[in-house]
Amino acid sequence: MSAQNIKYYCDNSFHKYDKNKWEYLLDYIFNQADQVEFNILRHNEPVPTEISAISDDLIGFDKRKNKIYYRRTSVKYSLTNQVKAFIKSKQYKEWHNYYYEDMSFLLHSQEILATITHEDYVIMMLTEEQKKELTNLGYDFWCEWPDPDQPQI
């Protein structure tokens, strides 16, 4: 993405949308992102088998604080076809309180889409043109969101 007036916007209506809206957004972001990062919610529970199945695509663990929604430790994966299939195996609402939660999609280590599932927030980095395109498709990215890489006043 070029620097042409790009901002983060939030849509807090995903609980109202049908499953096709989430699937469309995943396909949209899969065409841009090269990694996915999750907050680890359930540290003290056994790792689900479906997560163990994507271990070959694991990049590593992190505690970066400039994540849109930072929560203790996160885990990062290459966005391979196997990881994409794992992500698509769950509807948006199924990520709430799952072992992994609050996924972020990255391009060259910069978040371009993030979720805060317990708040029902999907935050995307968008140009005005992309925002208009998604609005025309029925999304509601109405609220500007602070850039996690910029100091907040």
Side-chain angles (χ1 to χ4, degrees):
M1 286 190 187
S2 68
Q4 55 166 327
N5 200 22
I6 296 173
K7 297 179 184 175
Y8 286 98
Y9 294 95
C10 177
D11 182 330
N12 62 344
S13 302
F14 272 76
H15 67 285
K16 298 177 192 173
Y17 295 155
D18 65 35
K19 68 178 187 167
N20 295 329
K21 283 243 190 317
W22 176 241
E23 290 172 5
Y24 177 86
L25 199 62
L26 287 176
D27 289 337
Y28 185 91
I29 208 69
F30 285 169
N31 288 323
Q32 299 173 38
D34 55 11
Q35 298 175 345
V36 64
E37 182 177 24
F38 302 90
N39 286 337
I40 302 173
L41 180 65
R42 309 233 176 253
H43 286 273
N44 299 324
E45 294 180 14
V47 176
T49 305
E50 60 191 356
I51 291 175
S52 297
I54 60 171
S55 62
D56 288 347
D57 303 307
L58 178 68
I59 293 171
F61 297 88
D62 205 347
K63 291 187 180 205
R64 70 181 181 94
K65 292 191 167 85
N66 66 334
K67 189 174 185 302
I68 287 177
Y69 184 64
Y70 166 75
R71 187 176 184 174
R72 293 183 293 199
T73 305
S74 61
V75 60
K76 194 181 294 182
Y77 291 88
S78 294
L79 197 53
T80 64
N81 287 336
Q82 187 170 320
V83 172
K84 290 175 186 178
F86 164 67
I87 293 167
K88 283 188 125 184
S89 73
K90 300 192 176 327
Q91 292 301 310
Y92 173 77
K93 64 184 176 186
E94 293 176 289
W95 289 104
H96 179 92
N97 287 328
Y98 180 65
Y99 187 88
Y100 284 168
E101 191 175 41
D102 306 320
M103 80 181 82
S104 296
F105 292 91
L106 302 102
L107 176 63
H108 309 302
S109 299
Q110 181 173 25
E111 279 177 287
I112 57 175
L113 183 146
T115 63
I116 306 173
T117 53
H118 72 276
E119 296 289 350
D120 194 32
Y121 293 166
V122 175
I123 299 109
M124 275 187 87
M125 179 186 274
L126 299 167
T127 63
E128 282 299 320
E129 185 176 309
Q130 290 169 320
K131 182 178 177 279
K132 183 185 262 186
E133 175 188 334
L134 291 171
T135 299
N136 289 339
L137 292 171
Y139 297 90
D140 189 17
F141 286 97
W142 63 277
C143 174
E144 283 190 33
W145 195 269
D147 184 333
D149 292 320
Q150 299 300 315
Q152 303 305 309
I153 300 172

